[in-house]
Amino acid sequence: MKTILTNKHISIEARKRALQYYIEPVLMYGCEAWTISKQIQNKLEATEMWFLTRMLRIPWTTKKTNERVLNEANKRRSLVRTIRKRQTTFLGHVMRRGKLEHLVTTGKFEGKRSRGRQREKIMDGLATWLGPGKVSDILAAIKDRNL
């Protein structure tokens, strides 16, 4: 896809569509089950910017800011937002189903907790992304399909 994405004879809009429909789905495969920390979010945003700078054929030595690259491409950052939206839809599907996945996601299964710092859960990441509020409010909104 490098020859298509960096081709000057193809319009930038067509190249952005190729990126959106051919490359991003491969990149986001299985993203519904990811726990996105701040470090992973930064890497995803850097990947998105790397694609845009390659498409616009901007060498890294020009030291352009990300905002200028986004303005040149006439695009907004959308990768992390799309992943979070997919996660909320998948979480709503799991919560409405109410089976084993529901128990695992909410953390209501029996057993001892492991030692050390607890791993970040999907619900923790979505709670920080959706803003202030309790997890119970998020679960109630998911069950009503209001998200």
Side-chain angles (χ1 to χ4, degrees):
M1 295 297 292
K2 179 181 177 182
T3 56
I4 294 173
L5 292 178
T6 58
N7 192 342
K8 289 184 179 180
H9 300 295
I10 301 174
S11 72
I12 187 69
E13 295 301 320
R15 289 185 277 164
K16 285 193 305 188
R17 282 195 306 269
L19 176 72
Q20 180 181 2
Y21 296 122
Y22 289 109
I23 295 171
E24 285 182 3
V26 175
L27 178 67
M28 293 188 299
Y29 179 76
C31 68
E32 292 87 1
W34 294 352
T35 53
I36 298 180
S37 63
K38 189 66 178 169
Q39 182 182 17
I40 293 174
Q41 181 175 343
N42 290 341
K43 286 183 179 183
L44 287 169
E45 288 174 353
T47 303
E48 187 175 18
M49 292 307 301
W50 183 80
F51 283 137
L52 287 176
T53 54
R54 292 294 298 235
M55 278 181 11
L56 295 172
R57 291 183 158 218
I58 300 172
W60 64 272
T61 55
T62 57
K63 307 282 188 200
K64 285 193 178 183
T65 62
N66 289 341
E67 289 78 23
R68 286 182 59 195
V69 173
L70 288 169
N71 285 338
E72 279 186 37
N74 197 16
K75 189 173 179 351
R76 292 180 17 204
R77 291 184 189 226
S78 61
L79 188 62
V80 175
R81 192 175 326 113
T82 306
I83 290 172
R84 291 295 192 187
K85 188 174 179 183
R86 282 186 178 192
Q87 285 180 337
T88 53
T89 353
F90 180 70
L91 186 68
H93 171 72
V94 166
M95 292 299 153
R96 284 188 296 275
R97 192 163 178 221
K99 302 243 178 181
L100 178 65
E101 298 90 358
H102 178 273
L103 294 174
V104 170
T105 307
T106 55
K108 295 184 179 179
F109 50 91
E110 295 180 17
K112 290 186 174 183
R113 292 182 0 168
S114 60
R115 293 178 56 189
R117 181 178 177 179
Q118 297 299 309
R119 293 183 179 176
E120 184 178 352
K121 301 178 197 102
I122 294 174
M123 292 300 295
D124 299 336
L126 287 176
T128 58
W129 182 66
L130 293 172
K134 298 180 181 175
V135 175
S136 59
D137 296 338
I138 295 170
L139 291 176
I142 285 173
K143 288 182 181 177
D144 293 337
R145 290 187 179 218
N146 287 337
L147 265 179

